[in-house]
Amino acid sequence: QLQESGPGLVKPSETLSLICGVSGFSINRGYFWGWIRQPPGRGLEWIAIMYLSGSTYYNPSLRSRVTISLDTSKNQLSLNVTSVTAADAARYYCARHSAVSGAFDIWGQGTLVSVSS
Amino acid sequence: EIVLTQSPGTLSLSPGERATLSCRASQSVSNNYIAWYQQKPGQAPRLLIYGASSRATGIPDRFSGSGESETDFTLTISRLEPEDFAVYYCQQYGGSPRLTFGPGTKVDIK
């Protein structure tokens, strides 16, 4: 129901662009939508969440380089990460977040991103 | 800034045993906004518990969560099944930063 897509490989200093297609329900329906990443063999790192109204929250450690957006016409969310380095190599997950429960209740399978010249 | 600490880092147990996982927050977590996730190798995380103690849809009742205080939270697996051996993460929402994950506890087979 959530399917991430991305380039797979990005060069250092370039911009990483990811898309998450949502099927089976509308992103208009009262949830936050977010991105989480996981470097190989490591834990989960929250990146950002966004509500359709425009309320957006970012991880302060990534705030200067990331942008999350929602496209209701395509029922998808996007993430841009600028000036990537090797530290940005990870599996990137999109997920639905409920402000009522405070939790991510539906996750995509993730897309793996490598960084190399 | 709210930092989550999980202990132990690794828990080695046998099927049928009880698992007790701890998540401690450096500051009070508002409204008990603590969630627990299970992650198996090669899979996305799965929501187990939200609101510190509410089971997500379809989660077996051997999984339970509790909050001993506004900073101390526990996930208990009453009797480990073979499919429960995995990594477990806690997550807080509503603090500063808005959302953080703990480092995880690995439950492996003894």
Side-chain angles (χ1 to χ4, degrees), chain A residues 27-49:
Chain A
I27 64 172
N28 286 326
R29 296 191 63 183
Y31 286 92
F32 279 89
W33 299 89
W35 290 93
I36 303 100
R37 70 182 184 180
Q38 185 173 36
R42 299 182 62 183
L44 301 169
E45 180 180 34
W46 167 64
I47 302 172
I49 53 173

mmCIF file of all heavy atoms in Angstrom, chain A residues 27-49:
data_model
loop_
_atom_site.group_PDB
_atom_site.id
_atom_site.type_symbol
_atom_site.label_atom_id
_atom_site.label_comp_id
_atom_site.label_asym_id
_atom_site.label_seq_id
_atom_site.Cartn_x
_atom_site.Cartn_y
_atom_site.Cartn_z
ATOM 1 N N ILE A 27 -4.186 10.177 0.804
ATOM 2 C CA ILE A 27 -3.352 10.922 1.739
ATOM 3 C C ILE A 27 -4.085 12.152 2.271
ATOM 4 O O ILE A 27 -3.576 12.850 3.140
ATOM 5 C CB ILE A 27 -2.005 11.332 1.113
ATOM 6 C CG1 ILE A 27 -2.215 12.308 -0.050
ATOM 7 C CG2 ILE A 27 -1.219 10.110 0.679
ATOM 8 C CD1 ILE A 27 -0.899 12.887 -0.575
ATOM 9 N N ASN A 28 -5.291 12.391 1.753
ATOM 10 C CA ASN A 28 -6.110 13.501 2.241
ATOM 11 C C ASN A 28 -6.735 13.205 3.596
ATOM 12 O O ASN A 28 -7.312 14.084 4.219
ATOM 13 C CB ASN A 28 -7.260 13.777 1.261
ATOM 14 C CG ASN A 28 -6.765 14.462 0.011
ATOM 15 O OD1 ASN A 28 -5.838 15.260 0.070
ATOM 16 N ND2 ASN A 28 -7.360 14.139 -1.113
ATOM 17 N N ARG A 29 -6.662 11.970 4.057
ATOM 18 C CA ARG A 29 -7.527 11.556 5.158
ATOM 19 C C ARG A 29 -6.933 11.634 6.542
ATOM 20 O O ARG A 29 -6.834 10.641 7.244
ATOM 21 C CB ARG A 29 -8.052 10.154 4.886
ATOM 22 C CG ARG A 29 -8.948 10.104 3.653
ATOM 23 C CD ARG A 29 -9.667 8.795 3.545
ATOM 24 N NE ARG A 29 -10.558 8.624 4.676
ATOM 25 C CZ ARG A 29 -11.282 7.527 4.886
ATOM 26 N NH1 ARG A 29 -11.185 6.515 4.036
ATOM 27 N NH2 ARG A 29 -12.061 7.432 5.929
ATOM 28 N N GLY A 30 -6.463 12.797 6.932
ATOM 29 C CA GLY A 30 -6.246 13.044 8.352
ATOM 30 C C GLY A 30 -5.073 12.341 9.013
ATOM 31 O O GLY A 30 -5.117 12.042 10.204
ATOM 32 N N TYR A 31 -4.041 12.044 8.266
ATOM 33 C CA TYR A 31 -2.844 11.465 8.860
ATOM 34 C C TYR A 31 -1.628 12.328 8.499
ATOM 35 O O TYR A 31 -1.635 13.077 7.528
ATOM 36 C CB TYR A 31 -2.591 10.047 8.331
ATOM 37 C CG TYR A 31 -3.529 9.010 8.871
ATOM 38 C CD1 TYR A 31 -4.695 8.692 8.191
ATOM 39 C CD2 TYR A 31 -3.240 8.326 10.045
ATOM 40 C CE1 TYR A 31 -5.555 7.719 8.683
ATOM 41 C CE2 TYR A 31 -4.098 7.356 10.536
ATOM 42 C CZ TYR A 31 -5.253 7.064 9.845
ATOM 43 O OH TYR A 31 -6.100 6.105 10.335
ATOM 44 N N PHE A 32 -0.579 12.165 9.297
ATOM 45 C CA PHE A 32 0.732 12.637 8.882
ATOM 46 C C PHE A 32 1.338 11.557 7.982
ATOM 47 O O PHE A 32 0.995 10.372 8.073
ATOM 48 C CB PHE A 32 1.654 12.841 10.088
ATOM 49 C CG PHE A 32 1.448 14.140 10.815
ATOM 50 C CD1 PHE A 32 0.534 14.240 11.840
ATOM 51 C CD2 PHE A 32 2.204 15.257 10.480
ATOM 52 C CE1 PHE A 32 0.356 15.450 12.532
ATOM 53 C CE2 PHE A 32 2.030 16.458 11.160
ATOM 54 C CZ PHE A 32 1.105 16.545 12.184
ATOM 55 N N TRP A 33 2.263 12.010 7.149
ATOM 56 C CA TRP A 33 3.008 11.093 6.284
ATOM 57 C C TRP A 33 4.491 11.386 6.480
ATOM 58 O O TRP A 33 4.882 12.562 6.540
ATOM 59 C CB TRP A 33 2.587 11.274 4.829
ATOM 60 C CG TRP A 33 1.133 10.966 4.673
ATOM 61 C CD1 TRP A 33 0.094 11.839 4.802
ATOM 62 C CD2 TRP A 33 0.559 9.680 4.453
ATOM 63 N NE1 TRP A 33 -1.099 11.179 4.658
ATOM 64 C CE2 TRP A 33 -0.847 9.849 4.436
ATOM 65 C CE3 TRP A 33 1.084 8.411 4.244
ATOM 66 C CZ2 TRP A 33 -1.729 8.786 4.227
ATOM 67 C CZ3 TRP A 33 0.209 7.357 4.032
ATOM 68 C CH2 TRP A 33 -1.174 7.544 4.026
ATOM 69 N N GLY A 34 5.290 10.322 6.591
ATOM 70 C CA GLY A 34 6.658 10.590 6.960
ATOM 71 C C GLY A 34 7.695 9.699 6.317
ATOM 72 O O GLY A 34 7.369 8.753 5.587
ATOM 73 N N TRP A 35 8.940 10.040 6.608
ATOM 74 C CA TRP A 35 10.091 9.297 6.118
ATOM 75 C C TRP A 35 10.986 8.932 7.299
ATOM 76 O O TRP A 35 11.204 9.742 8.213
ATOM 77 C CB TRP A 35 10.888 10.126 5.114
ATOM 78 C CG TRP A 35 10.192 10.339 3.809
ATOM 79 C CD1 TRP A 35 9.392 11.399 3.460
ATOM 80 C CD2 TRP A 35 10.226 9.472 2.667
ATOM 81 N NE1 TRP A 35 8.920 11.245 2.176
ATOM 82 C CE2 TRP A 35 9.423 10.063 1.666
ATOM 83 C CE3 TRP A 35 10.851 8.257 2.386
ATOM 84 C CZ2 TRP A 35 9.243 9.487 0.415
ATOM 85 C CZ3 TRP A 35 10.668 7.679 1.142
ATOM 86 C CH2 TRP A 35 9.875 8.286 0.174
ATOM 87 N N ILE A 36 11.506 7.719 7.249
ATOM 88 C CA ILE A 36 12.435 7.190 8.245
ATOM 89 C C ILE A 36 13.526 6.479 7.447
ATOM 90 O O ILE A 36 13.264 5.890 6.393
ATOM 91 C CB ILE A 36 11.729 6.163 9.159
ATOM 92 C CG1 ILE A 36 10.503 6.785 9.832
ATOM 93 C CG2 ILE A 36 12.693 5.597 10.175
ATOM 94 C CD1 ILE A 36 9.191 6.416 9.138
ATOM 95 N N ARG A 37 14.745 6.506 7.939
ATOM 96 C CA ARG A 37 15.811 5.785 7.249
ATOM 97 C C ARG A 37 16.573 4.890 8.214
ATOM 98 O O ARG A 37 16.511 5.070 9.436
ATOM 99 C CB ARG A 37 16.762 6.749 6.549
ATOM 100 C CG ARG A 37 17.642 7.582 7.459
ATOM 101 C CD ARG A 37 18.507 8.522 6.620
ATOM 102 N NE ARG A 37 19.433 9.284 7.466
ATOM 103 C CZ ARG A 37 20.291 10.175 6.995
ATOM 104 N NH1 ARG A 37 20.334 10.438 5.670
ATOM 105 N NH2 ARG A 37 21.105 10.813 7.815
ATOM 106 N N GLN A 38 17.310 3.934 7.636
ATOM 107 C CA GLN A 38 18.041 2.959 8.424
ATOM 108 C C GLN A 38 19.315 2.584 7.698
ATOM 109 O O GLN A 38 19.276 1.830 6.715
ATOM 110 C CB GLN A 38 17.171 1.717 8.677
ATOM 111 C CG GLN A 38 17.800 0.696 9.587
ATOM 112 C CD GLN A 38 16.829 -0.416 9.940
ATOM 113 O OE1 GLN A 38 16.008 -0.833 9.121
ATOM 114 N NE2 GLN A 38 16.895 -0.881 11.173
ATOM 115 N N PRO A 39 20.452 3.084 8.155
ATOM 116 C CA PRO A 39 21.714 2.656 7.554
ATOM 117 C C PRO A 39 21.910 1.158 7.739
ATOM 118 O O PRO A 39 21.395 0.576 8.713
ATOM 119 C CB PRO A 39 22.762 3.451 8.347
ATOM 120 C CG PRO A 39 22.023 4.609 8.928
ATOM 121 C CD PRO A 39 20.641 4.089 9.212
ATOM 122 N N PRO A 40 22.639 0.517 6.852
ATOM 123 C CA PRO A 40 22.830 -0.933 6.953
ATOM 124 C C PRO A 40 23.363 -1.350 8.312
ATOM 125 O O PRO A 40 24.355 -0.801 8.809
ATOM 126 C CB PRO A 40 23.856 -1.221 5.844
ATOM 127 C CG PRO A 40 23.641 -0.129 4.852
ATOM 128 C CD PRO A 40 23.274 1.083 5.656
ATOM 129 N N GLY A 41 22.658 -2.293 8.947
ATOM 130 C CA GLY A 41 23.105 -2.832 10.221
ATOM 131 C C GLY A 41 22.896 -1.917 11.418
ATOM 132 O O GLY A 41 23.363 -2.231 12.520
ATOM 133 N N ARG A 42 22.154 -0.841 11.224
ATOM 134 C CA ARG A 42 21.981 0.123 12.301
ATOM 135 C C ARG A 42 20.504 0.357 12.597
ATOM 136 O O ARG A 42 19.631 -0.307 12.033
ATOM 137 C CB ARG A 42 22.686 1.426 11.942
ATOM 138 C CG ARG A 42 24.194 1.239 11.748
ATOM 139 C CD ARG A 42 24.890 2.529 11.441
ATOM 140 N NE ARG A 42 24.772 3.497 12.534
ATOM 141 C CZ ARG A 42 25.251 4.722 12.478
ATOM 142 N NH1 ARG A 42 25.875 5.143 11.389
ATOM 143 N NH2 ARG A 42 25.105 5.545 13.498
ATOM 144 N N GLY A 43 20.233 1.306 13.490
ATOM 145 C CA GLY A 43 18.870 1.554 13.936
ATOM 146 C C GLY A 43 18.100 2.525 13.057
ATOM 147 O O GLY A 43 18.588 2.992 12.023
ATOM 148 N N LEU A 44 16.893 2.820 13.503
ATOM 149 C CA LEU A 44 15.990 3.688 12.759
ATOM 150 C C LEU A 44 16.256 5.160 13.081
ATOM 151 O O LEU A 44 16.480 5.515 14.239
ATOM 152 C CB LEU A 44 14.535 3.358 13.124
ATOM 153 C CG LEU A 44 14.099 1.927 12.859
ATOM 154 C CD1 LEU A 44 12.743 1.665 13.495
ATOM 155 C CD2 LEU A 44 14.049 1.645 11.366
ATOM 156 N N GLU A 45 16.199 5.990 12.061
ATOM 157 C CA GLU A 45 16.362 7.436 12.235
ATOM 158 C C GLU A 45 15.179 8.136 11.582
ATOM 159 O O GLU A 45 14.973 8.018 10.371
ATOM 160 C CB GLU A 45 17.673 7.931 11.624
ATOM 161 C CG GLU A 45 17.865 9.432 11.778
ATOM 162 C CD GLU A 45 19.163 9.930 11.180
ATOM 163 O OE1 GLU A 45 19.616 9.373 10.159
ATOM 164 O OE2 GLU A 45 19.730 10.904 11.730
ATOM 165 N N TRP A 46 14.427 8.877 12.374
ATOM 166 C CA TRP A 46 13.313 9.643 11.844
ATOM 167 C C TRP A 46 13.840 10.821 11.052
ATOM 168 O O TRP A 46 14.771 11.506 11.481
ATOM 169 C CB TRP A 46 12.419 10.119 12.980
ATOM 170 C CG TRP A 46 11.433 11.155 12.550
ATOM 171 C CD1 TRP A 46 10.403 10.997 11.648
ATOM 172 C CD2 TRP A 46 11.387 12.503 12.983
ATOM 173 N NE1 TRP A 46 9.721 12.184 11.506
ATOM 174 C CE2 TRP A 46 10.299 13.121 12.314
ATOM 175 C CE3 TRP A 46 12.137 13.282 13.868
ATOM 176 C CZ2 TRP A 46 9.954 14.453 12.507
ATOM 177 C CZ3 TRP A 46 11.789 14.605 14.064
ATOM 178 C CH2 TRP A 46 10.704 15.180 13.379
ATOM 179 N N ILE A 47 13.220 11.102 9.885
ATOM 180 C CA ILE A 47 13.642 12.209 9.039
ATOM 181 C C ILE A 47 12.647 13.370 9.106
ATOM 182 O O ILE A 47 13.007 14.505 9.404
ATOM 183 C CB ILE A 47 13.797 11.759 7.573
ATOM 184 C CG1 ILE A 47 14.819 10.618 7.458
ATOM 185 C CG2 ILE A 47 14.201 12.940 6.691
ATOM 186 C CD1 ILE A 47 14.881 9.983 6.071
ATOM 187 N N ALA A 48 11.376 13.095 8.790
ATOM 188 C CA ALA A 48 10.381 14.161 8.728
ATOM 189 C C ALA A 48 8.976 13.585 8.685
ATOM 190 O O ALA A 48 8.780 12.434 8.275
ATOM 191 C CB ALA A 48 10.597 15.026 7.478
ATOM 192 N N ILE A 49 8.000 14.383 9.118
ATOM 193 C CA ILE A 49 6.600 14.077 8.928
ATOM 194 C C ILE A 49 5.869 15.326 8.471
ATOM 195 O O ILE A 49 6.252 16.449 8.832
ATOM 196 C CB ILE A 49 5.909 13.502 10.192
ATOM 197 C CG1 ILE A 49 6.123 14.415 11.412
ATOM 198 C CG2 ILE A 49 6.383 12.088 10.481
ATOM 199 C CD1 ILE A 49 5.333 13.985 12.642
#
